[in-house]
Amino acid sequence: MTSDITLFVNPSAGRGRGAHAAQPAARVLRDAGFSVRTVVGTDAADALRRAREAVAGGTGALIAVGGDGMTSLALQAVAGTRTPLGVVAVGTGNDFARAAALPVRDPVAAARVVAGALKGDGGRAVDLGRVGHTWFGTVLASGFDSRVNDRGNRMRFPTGRLRYDLAMLAELAALHTVPYRLRLDDGPVRCVEATLVAVGNGGSYGGGMRICGQARLDDGLFDVTVVGPCRRSTLLRVFPKVYRGTHLGHPRVTTYRAAKVTLEVDPRAAAEAGIVTGYADGERLGPLPLTAETVPAAVRLLGAR
């Protein structure tokens, strides 16, 4: 393992925590004997290009400093390569770090974990999901939650989490189900009316919402959570349970496990359902249909337990 490693930094993550986290993380890694180079892109595309150049150039590790968005970019660069990934999670959600039991919002502790893994076992191989050429580590979301994302992304005011709270209220007012066609592995197509379908490589999204709370990063399978038709009052009662994962026992919730999942809107009801978008790791994938596949041991994650 080369001692030259790369910090991949989002300076705006967590309202500036990314910039503040990079220096103490780099100091810990240098004190541990590593030569640290920092990469900061002008935008997401430039950042990903620079990360891929670092991986192609033989960096000993790529260390994502920021939130789930930065980790998602780093995954695109390291997945399927021999370059291990470290995560210094200082963003708003940090769901990938939570799934791997890594330190959250503690850059010194996270850097120590990375250094220990690089000098020790070299990390642990974990699974990723893949849709086309896009990799994801946590959850692919569609339905109600993706419509909240769509609406929130269109809003310019307010900023931060409040914007998505308001988007959720607006979507609740327009709540409707989606006529899904769901296929698990190579099984039959299931026609289901659902409020949302979530495909989890990891257990949570949105900063600790355990929508696929039993998902594991190393079992080669997705956990699929289907929330059936709900009244607004039912959804409001069930929603707080998502943070504990206890919603999985609700009669309107069905779960499955599969290595490949295809989601599409029943074409006979497509006009009524409208465009249904998929988001993975909080990033927009595009409209359904989408097929997600698990890729076992797709990345070596430093410090994962």
Side-chain angles (χ1 to χ4, degrees):
M1 174 68 70
T2 176
S3 64
D4 297 323
I5 60 177
T6 302
L7 279 188
F8 186 41
V9 181
N10 179 0
S12 62
R15 298 182 181 179
R17 284 193 295 269
H20 293 299
Q23 290 184 353
R27 185 167 56 249
V28 168
L29 292 165
R30 289 189 177 108
D31 287 347
F34 295 97
S35 175
V36 180
R37 175 193 174 206
T38 300
V39 167
V40 181
T42 57
D43 55 26
D46 181 58
L48 179 56
R49 178 184 62 80
R50 292 169 184 262
R52 284 176 167 156
E53 287 176 352
V55 170
T59 188
L62 187 69
I63 318 300
V65 183
D68 285 321
M70 202 62 177
T71 300
S72 178
L73 275 180
L75 289 176
Q76 312 314 309
V78 300
T81 76
R82 295 185 177 182
T83 303
L85 173 69
V87 177
V88 177
V90 292
T92 302
N94 306 311
D95 288 292
F96 187 72
R98 295 175 199 274
L102 296 173
V104 171
R105 296 185 185 170
D106 188 340
V108 169
R112 286 173 178 163
V113 166
V114 167
L118 284 170
K119 290 189 168 187
D121 61 9
R124 176 167 73 94
V126 299
D127 308 336
L128 295 177
R130 184 171 60 191
V131 177
H133 297 293
T134 301
W135 300 86
F136 68 96
T138 57
V139 178
L140 188 164
S142 70
F144 175 76
D145 39 11
S146 66
R147 288 197 299 272
V148 170
N149 265 312
D150 282 338
R151 183 180 289 271
N153 290 341
R154 293 194 301 269
M155 296 168 65
R156 294 292 174 261
F157 182 84
T159 59
R161 187 174 291 274
L162 180 58
R163 177 170 60 186
Y164 290 93
D165 290 342
L166 292 177
M168 181 177 292
L169 289 174
E171 287 301 326
L172 274 172
L175 183 66
H176 64 274
T177 59
V178 175
Y180 283 97
R181 287 166 56 89
L182 172 66
R183 189 175 190 189
L184 306 175
D185 295 322
D186 295 319
V189 172
R190 305 165 187 257
C191 295
V192 296
E193 290 281 337
T195 302
L196 66 87
V197 177
V199 180
N201 181 60
S204 69
Y205 61 4
M209 297 169 62
R210 297 176 55 78
I211 188 69
C212 300
Q214 303 301 314
R216 292 175 49 188
L217 294 178
D218 61 356
D219 61 358
L221 295 170
F222 293 125
D223 279 34
V224 184
T225 299
V226 179
V227 179
C230 288
R231 296 180 177 179
R232 296 181 188 88
S233 57
T234 301
L235 195 59
L236 285 169
R237 285 197 304 271
V238 172
F239 179 76
K241 297 181 179 182
V242 175
Y243 286 95
R244 301 187 300 274
T246 54
H247 66 291
L248 296 174
H250 192 277
R252 289 291 183 183
V253 177
T254 307
T255 59
Y256 305 96
R257 307 191 80 218
K260 181 170 73 171
V261 180
T262 298
L263 299 174
E264 61 180 313
V265 177
D266 190 323
R268 294 168 297 181
E272 182 180 346
I275 295 174
V276 180
T277 309
Y279 281 78
D281 289 349
E283 304 298 319
R284 190 180 190 276
L285 292 175
L288 272 53
L290 295 170
T291 296
E293 297 184 79
T294 49
V295 181
V299 67
R300 194 148 197 91
L301 185 59
L302 297 168
R305 299 197 294 273

